[in-house]
Amino acid sequence: MKKLYIKTFGCQMNEYDSEKMADVLHSSEGMSNTSDIEEADVILLNTCSIREKAQEKVFSDLGRLRELKQNKPNLLIGVGGCVASQEGKQIVNRAPHVDFVFGPQTLHRLPDLIAKRLETGKSQVDISFPEIEKFDHLPRSRQTRGSAFVSIMEGCSKYCSYCVVPYTRGEEVSRPFEDVLTEIVGLTEQGVKEITLLGQNVNAYRGTMGNSKEIADFALLLEYMSEIPGLDRIRFTTSHPKEFTQRLIDVYDKVPQLVSHLHLPVQHASDTILAAMKRGYTALEFKSIIRKMRAVRPNLSLSSDFIVGFPGETDADFEKLMDMVVELNFDNSYSFIFSPRPGTPAANLMDDTPYAIKLKRLQRLIAQIDAQALVVSKAMLDKTERVLIEGFTRDGAHLLGRTENNRVINILIPPNDVAHPQADSWIGEMLDVKVTEVLKHTLRGELAYVPA
């Protein structure tokens, strides 16, 4: 059996795509995944172009793979993802040992790309945008754990001034309503209890319903999902404030399977900076969304994305950001210093703020959010939480799980039960866990009861 090694960069959309690449090549070529790059017959780099110098990091990895291929001439190397969409044939020009290049929308064509590479002896490139064709050609997911990602739409039509996603993944295109529900039902039949819906702007979902002209919005999709037997939890990422409608907020009052944890990227709290980012909302409008959400979910845990040091950001702008962080009590974040992405409007903006100042701002922001997160975690001490068991820690002495508000928790396996015959069967299950200790970024706990 041939071995497949995938290195995934970036977002959860890429994690989902990597799973699908593995499914496609397992179904068509009988390949199995390996964590040992040395034994791989096929190596795939699933790339991300969001962060600074993303392209150079990919070429650096490819440089290291050149020697591996020299020692193993039949090794096939492929580059996929957003950097592949941006660079296309340039990847092969700079790294001739790459066998095929494919975009996020053409990963289902991997078997054809491999076949053509072997037939012609020439590197293959396919970075086209065939909308949702790939979903019609993907094999059924192979799930062995209790949670799964489901991509419900591709692309982005927001064109924020700093972002390359619309150029690398195309415009927003939603999957048909029934297709999404069919995939979710198939996953629950395999024992999946938690689904995370994925999309660049997941709440912009507008899926066609059957042969009618009716369109299902994101709120309707969530309502239908709540009726699927065995589905205990629903998460989604990444959402956009412009698409966070009152209908969506109302769903939180009707669908208990929706977790009381929301990741809603705000990026900034200065209206001047938000306008320069072309985000399409004001700080007050964002705060209004959160106020309405906490009216229906008082215990809502809130995380977000923040960009520090955007061109033109003043001390006063940054203080507005810090004020919002405290006011809304964010307890987790993905926070970064602005890095210009080639080809985006923001790359041409004047940026005269010293890096040292940007770094101090970032450190202050992260420290504040970490402090708030610790307060939230300490409030969970001695309480019993419903936890989805995801696996074991490396030492094998603890189960690894995740709470509803997205905290990672290590759960002590009861004495004499380290080799419990049913310990493996707990993975993928929802168990009640008492929180016994709060650490900086994780929790520790013990089972409230030992499953029979």
Side-chain angles (χ1 to χ4, degrees):
M1 182 177 288
K2 291 186 177 180
K3 299 292 185 178
L4 170 67
Y5 178 91
I6 305 177
K7 183 173 182 179
T8 307
F9 302 82
C11 66
Q12 288 171 312
M13 287 290 291
N14 269 17
E15 291 181 30
Y16 174 86
D17 283 349
S18 290
E19 289 179 4
K20 295 306 176 186
M21 293 173 199
D23 287 344
V24 166
L25 292 178
H26 175 79
S27 176
S28 66
E29 312 293 325
M31 292 187 188
S32 63
N33 287 31
T34 179
S35 58
D36 184 358
I37 196 170
E38 298 286 341
E39 70 173 15
D41 299 289
V42 176
I43 296 174
L44 302 180
L45 302 183
N46 190 10
T47 63
C48 174
S49 57
I50 296 297
R51 302 297 164 223
E52 187 176 8
K53 298 180 180 178
Q55 290 90 333
E56 293 310 312
K57 291 177 182 177
V58 171
F59 285 114
S60 177
D61 276 356
L62 290 175
R64 288 190 287 271
L65 291 178
R66 183 189 299 110
E67 183 177 350
L68 190 61
K69 184 156 186 172
Q70 288 173 345
N71 296 328
K72 195 175 183 180
N74 292 328
L75 173 67
L76 294 175
I77 298 173
V79 180
C82 292
V83 171
S85 290
Q86 276 187 297
E87 298 294 310
K89 292 181 179 179
Q90 291 301 315
I91 292 176
V92 175
N93 292 340
R94 287 185 58 177
H97 56 289
V98 171
D99 297 286
F100 47 93
V101 177
F102 58 101
Q105 276 72 34
T106 54
L107 65 88
H108 62 290
R109 298 176 180 173
L110 275 170
D112 291 337
L113 291 171
I114 290 174
K116 288 180 181 178
R117 172 66 179 91
L118 296 176
E119 178 186 344
T120 66
K122 297 179 181 180
S123 298
Q124 302 295 309
V125 178
D126 186 350
I127 54 170
S128 56
F129 292 93
E131 293 194 348
I132 59 171
E133 172 193 305
K134 80 176 183 183
F135 294 105
D136 295 329
H137 293 81
L138 293 177
R140 179 171 172 155
S141 298
R142 298 172 294 142
Q143 276 300 324
T144 58
R145 299 305 186 195
S147 63
F149 294 134
V150 173
S151 181
I152 66 172
M153 62 179 298
E154 288 280 348
C156 178
S157 301
K158 298 297 184 286
Y159 288 92
C160 299
S161 66
Y162 54 85
C163 186
V164 298
V165 168
Y167 311 103
T168 59
R169 285 187 175 262
E171 295 273 319
E172 291 171 359
V173 180
S174 297
R175 292 178 65 188
F177 185 67
E178 283 80 4
D179 288 4
V180 174
L181 292 177
T182 298
E183 180 175 352
I184 293 170
V185 168
L187 289 167
T188 60
E189 289 174 347
Q190 297 179 67
V192 170
K193 293 179 171 57
E194 177 182 288
I195 294 290
T196 300
L197 302 176
L198 298 179
Q200 264 70 41
N201 286 313
V202 68
N203 53 334
Y205 175 80
R206 301 290 187 273
T208 56
M209 301 182 71
N211 296 321
S212 71
K213 294 183 179 180
E214 289 187 71
I215 299 295
D217 66 3
F218 189 57
L220 186 65
L221 176 62
L222 293 172
E223 289 173 348
Y224 271 67
M225 286 178 64
S226 71
E227 300 295 326
I228 296 175
L231 181 57
D232 293 341
R233 276 187 189 167
I234 303 172
R235 301 182 188 272
F236 57 84
T237 191
T238 295
S239 51
H240 194 289
K242 280 191 71 175
E243 304 286 352
F244 218 94
T245 63
Q246 184 61 49
R247 264 183 53 74
L248 178 53
I249 294 170
D250 292 342
V251 167
Y252 274 87
D253 204 24
K254 297 185 287 185
V255 177
Q257 293 95 325
L258 268 171
V259 297
S260 291
H261 170 264
L262 174 63
H263 182 78
L264 186 60
V266 63
Q267 305 300 357
H268 215 280
S270 162
D271 288 344
T272 300
I273 300 300
L274 288 171
M277 289 178 169
K278 297 185 178 180
R279 289 293 288 173
Y281 53 84
T282 65
L284 183 60
E285 288 169 334
F286 184 88
K287 291 177 183 179
S288 177
I289 293 170
I290 304 306
R291 177 180 57 80
K292 293 175 182 177
M293 277 292 296
R294 285 190 165 135
V296 296
R297 293 289 181 94
N299 62 335
L300 182 74
S301 175
L302 183 63
S303 64
S304 194
D305 295 348
F306 300 101
I307 296 176
V308 173
F310 191 83
E313 182 189 67
T314 64
D315 288 340
D317 291 325
F318 179 70
E319 292 305 324
K320 290 179 181 178
L321 176 56
M322 291 300 298
D323 289 344
M324 177 187 276
V325 165
V326 173
E327 179 183 347
L328 299 184
N329 195 33
F330 293 96
D331 65 24
N332 195 13
S333 75
Y334 298 94
S335 304
F336 302 95
I337 293 174
F338 169 77
S339 60
R341 312 312 303 135
T344 62
N348 299 318
L349 296 177
M350 175 66 70
D351 184 7
D352 56 4
T353 304
Y355 180 81
I357 291 178
K358 296 179 182 180
L359 182 59
K360 285 183 179 179
R361 290 174 181 171
L362 178 66
Q363 291 169 338
R364 184 180 160 200
L365 172 66
I366 292 174
Q368 180 63 44
I369 294 174
D370 283 350
Q372 293 173 183
L374 192 59
V375 171
V376 172
S377 294
K378 285 182 176 179
M380 300 169 68
L381 189 63
D382 295 327
K383 293 183 178 178
T384 299
E385 299 284 336
R386 197 72 172 157
V387 174
L388 176 64
I389 307 302
E390 297 181 340
F392 294 96
T393 55
R394 290 182 180 179
D395 61 8
H398 294 78
L399 291 163
L400 187 68
R402 193 170 298 271
T403 64
E404 180 181 346
N405 65 352
N406 214 33
R407 286 332 195 243
V408 173
I409 182 166
N410 295 331
I411 306 144
L412 184 66
I413 297 176
N416 304 320
D417 284 335
V418 173
H420 196 293
Q422 292 187 340
D424 285 336
S425 70
W426 298 343
I427 298 173
E429 296 298 320
M430 294 280 189
L431 300 180
D432 289 332
V433 177
K434 182 180 178 181
V435 179
T436 58
E437 188 177 358
V438 174
L439 305 178
K440 186 174 181 180
H441 295 295
T442 59
L443 304 173
R444 286 184 179 171
E446 58 187 29
L447 294 174
Y449 65 93
V450 178

